[in-house]
Amino acid sequence: DVRAGEARSWANLLDKMYDRMRVVVRVPEGENVFRGRCLITIWSTTERFNEWVLASEGFDLSSRQGIAGVCFGKANGDTHVTFYRQPDRNEFALVLVHEASHAFTHRYRTGRRIPSWVNEGLAEYVSHNLVNAPQWATGRARGSREGYQRNGGLATLFVMPSIDWYQYGQAWEFTEMMVGENVDGYRAFIDALKDGKDVHDALEEHYGTS
C-alpha cells in the first residue's frame, strides 16, 4: 500500500539485488531462479504488516517487537517476502535487500537450507554492498565486536540454528573475508551446501580449513 512511485523505486533496488546475487553465485544473465516471480509485499504500517502475515502465512507477529521484514521460503518452491516500510529510508533499504536475498538463496540450485551464519552473512554482504548506509554498517561492526568480547569468541556463531542479532555483523565479516580471499571458492562452497554437503566438509574442501 505504498505510493506507486515509491514502489517502482524499491522494485528497481530489488532488481539490483537480483543482479548482485546472480553475480556472487554465478547464475547466467537472464536466468530466473524464482518459480515465475517472487511475491514482495510492502506495508505502510506495522498493523497492516502484521495483519497480512497472519492472514497469508498464519504467523502472529503482533507480540514480537522489531520485526520489519520476513522471508517465507516454501517446500514447493514458492517464495513470499513481506515488509513494514520503516521511516528511515536507508534502514528499510537494507532490510528490503537482506530479506529478498534470502528468497534468492532459498530458490538457488536446490531448496536445501544452509547454516544460519552463511545465510545471514550472505544477506548482509549483499545488502551492505548495495545500500550506502554507513551508520548502520558501523552499528553492525560495533555489535559484532561487543558480542565477541562479551562471549569470549565466535564459537557459537557456527553452531546456532538461528544466529543472534549481534552475530549478524560477525557473519557479514566472515562472508566479506571468504569472498575477498577466494570468490570462486565461495561459489563452490555455497553450491556444496545447497547440494547437501556438511558445512565442515565444504569448508575443508574449498578453503582448506575447519
Side-chain angles (χ1 to χ4, degrees):
D1 64 352
V2 296
R3 297 187 309 274
E6 185 181 4
R8 285 192 293 271
S9 175
W10 297 129
N12 183 56
L13 179 60
L14 288 168
D15 284 340
K16 291 179 180 177
M17 176 280 299
Y18 187 94
D19 283 338
R20 184 60 60 91
M21 288 289 291
R22 182 183 62 75
V23 169
V24 169
V25 297
R26 197 177 282 166
V27 170
E29 186 173 2
E31 183 173 315
N32 182 16
V33 304
F34 292 112
R35 189 181 180 188
R37 291 176 181 266
C38 175
L39 175 64
I40 305 284
T41 51
I42 303 175
W43 302 95
S44 59
T45 68
T46 53
E47 291 77 16
R48 288 189 173 188
F49 167 67
N50 289 337
E51 287 171 4
W52 172 249
V53 172
L54 182 61
S56 65
E57 303 295 340
F59 286 90
D60 185 359
L61 300 180
S62 58
S63 63
R64 300 175 63 181
Q65 299 298 312
I67 296 180
V70 190
C71 172
F72 296 97
K74 304 180 182 182
N76 68 350
D78 288 349
T79 50
H80 171 208
V81 197
T82 185
F83 303 92
Y84 154 57
R85 201 306 197 183
Q86 297 147 284
D88 186 293
R89 187 176 180 86
N90 278 348
E91 183 179 12
F92 177 64
L94 287 171
V95 173
L96 183 73
V97 174
H98 179 108
E99 294 299 331
S101 71
H102 284 322
F104 185 107
T105 302
H106 172 69
R107 285 292 304 160
Y108 174 65
R109 204 172 179 91
T110 72
R112 287 189 175 91
R113 292 185 177 274
I114 60 178
S116 180
W117 71 269
V118 182
N119 201 6
E120 301 297 351
L122 178 55
E124 288 288 288
Y125 170 81
V126 171
S127 60
H128 283 281
N129 275 271
L130 273 183
V131 180
N132 183 26
Q135 74 278 23
W136 299 106
T138 300
R140 277 286 195 246
R142 183 172 60 249
S144 170
R145 183 170 60 251
E146 291 172 353
Y148 181 89
Q149 293 168 345
R150 183 171 59 251
N151 295 285
L154 292 169
T156 60
L157 174 71
F158 303 106
V159 297
M160 291 181 71
S162 181
I163 64 173
D164 211 336
W165 68 268
Y166 68 85
Q167 295 175 311
Y168 279 59
Q170 297 171 353
W172 171 25
E173 289 164 349
F174 261 90
T175 304
E176 289 272 11
M177 180 181 68
M178 292 173 73
V179 173
E181 179 181 315
N182 182 1
V183 65
D184 287 330
Y186 185 76
R187 290 166 177 149
F189 169 71
I190 293 292
D191 286 354
L193 295 180
K194 293 294 287 185
D195 289 343
K197 182 162 284 192
D198 177 78
V199 64
H200 304 289
D201 294 338
L203 280 169
E204 288 282 5
E205 183 174 347
H206 301 293
Y207 281 90
T209 188
S210 65

